[in-house]
Amino acid sequence: MLIAIPLFDGMTTLDAVGPYEVLVRLPDTEVVFVGPEKRAYPQEFPGITLEATATLDEMTAPDIVVVPGGPPEAVGPAAQAGVLPAWLAKVHPQTTYTASVCTGSILLAAAGLIQGLDGTTHWAGKGILRQMGCNPIQQRVVDHGDSHRILMGAGISSGIDMALTLAARLKGDDIAQGIQLALEYDPQPPFDAGHPSKAPKAVYERVRVELKAVE
Amino acid sequence: MLIAIPLFDGMTTLDAVGPYEVLVRLPDTEVVFVGPEKRAYPQEFPGITLEATATLDEMTAPDIVVVPGGPPEAVGPAAQAGVLPAWLAKVHPQTTYTASVCTGSILLAAAGLIQGLDGTTHWAGKGILRQMGCNPIQQRVVDHGDSHRILMGAGISSGIDMALTLAARLKGDDIAQGIQLALEYDPQPPFDAGHPSKAPKAVYERVRVELKAVE
């Protein structure tokens, strides 16, 4: 099974690495980072790059695609009109699943794959997804596996939950549970502030401005 | 504030990237991946590398150090006798915090920093930590901040919880909560199998063999 994770400049690292760390543990599976070019892609924040070892053109028939997201500028009009959505539109008809994490959903929408569907994305990007014809709902993982072979995760860290869901769909619950155990994914955040409905009001008001949220 | 994350061959990617994604969002902070040499470090699984942009020798006075872990072979006798523990022993006296994720704790132990303390590590590595003179307890994050400036996380994904704890200690709860919200870290794993005490027995028995657990 061949899993492709497309890279692009300014993307959010954990959007890709969370699912990678889950999916690379699936039996008989290869995970490949792909990009418009074979090169290192600068990320949202300095200090780290991720490297594509194959081009989008070379990756003609992935079984699974997981599209990471990024801040507004990384998934804006230029990215939406770029080569990645065109590639997604081309490969999706043959995938078992085409998935997104965070605002990667915006690139699925740019590829025309999720119009008219319920979906999810980073809470700060829900308004953009709505403008593009997908209906954001309050759910961390949205699975259209049986109908549209589309799977979507909410913001950044949700990629781990999304990928465990995907692992279970592909290889069964016991394999997914084994990966969760191997990752010791027994989350115990020191605060319960991970969603606008839970964060202190003042924290939410500050962060929504920082993130230029469109809700 | 200068945060150094040491890299080494065969390490587990999420051990480093989870904390990176939290800590890089702290105000007035730079996160730098460091290594024995400035090069790309192959990780536990294929398809990804992380690149050190500074050498350990160049990084003489980090404020914070976060040591990732890896499977037994990556943190075994060769790594324990290598340059990283020696560097940790040298820089720790001047750090605000020296932290570990997963079996990064074994490298802290090799540096002589945690003998006689309660600690934590990946559940599959607890026996090794015990052999090295640290007392593993059933806790996802162990904070010796006030006494020894040591902070330890359990397996792999716990680095996110550990780093949020660290963020709060360094910059206050509201900054840490804002980062949790920005990462939409409102975990909802599809299963509750992330710890040996919770996973189905058969899953646990399979994974402990796969991971060569020393409990």
Side-chain angles (χ1 to χ4, degrees), chain A residues 38-195:
Chain A
K38 275 182 219 179
R39 63 169 170 89
Y41 288 78
Q43 304 288 295
E44 178 180 7
F45 288 99
I48 194 167
T49 60
L50 289 180
E51 185 161 2
T53 57
T55 66
L56 294 173
D57 286 344
E58 287 169 347
M59 181 64 65
T60 53
D63 299 298
I64 308 289
V65 175
V66 178
V67 184
E73 51 272 27
V75 294
Q80 292 169 30
V83 293
L84 178 49
W87 178 81
L88 291 171
K90 199 168 68 179
V91 299
H92 174 64
Q94 275 79 49
T95 65
T96 306
Y97 263 104
T98 303
S100 63
V101 180
C102 194
T103 54
S105 57
I106 289 171
L107 302 174
L108 296 195
L113 305 184
I114 54 173
Q115 275 67 20
L117 298 182
D118 287 347
T120 192
T121 189
H122 195 291
W123 60 265
K126 285 192 166 178
I128 297 176
L129 200 63
R130 194 178 300 114
Q131 290 161 17
M132 296 179 80
C134 176
N135 176 43
I137 60 174
Q138 185 109 336
Q139 213 166 283
R140 191 157 172 89
V141 175
V142 173
D143 183 359
H144 293 290
D146 292 326
S147 48
H148 296 79
R149 296 167 294 107
I150 291 281
L151 185 60
M152 306 168 78
I156 307 181
S157 61
S158 75
I160 300 173
D161 296 331
M162 185 280 288
L164 286 170
T165 303
L166 180 55
R169 291 295 296 251
L170 294 169
K171 302 280 185 178
D173 287 2
D174 64 325
I175 292 291
Q177 289 168 333
I179 293 173
Q180 183 181 3
L181 180 58
L183 298 179
E184 201 165 343
Y185 185 47
D186 179 27
Q188 296 165 35
F191 307 102
D192 189 15
H195 189 269

Side-chain angles (χ1 to χ4, degrees), chain A residues 4-20:
Chain A
I5 303 180
L7 304 179
F8 50 93
D9 292 339
M11 58 172 280
T12 302
T13 311
L14 188 59
D15 288 15
V17 170
Y20 165 85

Side-chain angles (χ1 to χ4, degrees), chain B residues 24-86:
Chain B
V24 78
R25 287 171 161 79
L26 287 172
D28 308 316
T29 297
E30 186 184 8
V31 183
V32 180
F33 289 100
V34 298
E37 303 113 41
K38 276 183 218 178
R39 63 169 170 89
Y41 287 78
Q43 304 289 295
E44 179 180 6
F45 289 99
I48 194 166
T49 59
L50 290 179
E51 185 160 2
T53 58
T55 65
L56 294 172
D57 285 344
E58 288 169 345
M59 182 64 65
T60 53
D63 299 297
I64 308 290
V65 175
V66 178
V67 184
E73 52 273 28
V75 295
Q80 293 168 29
V83 293
L84 179 50

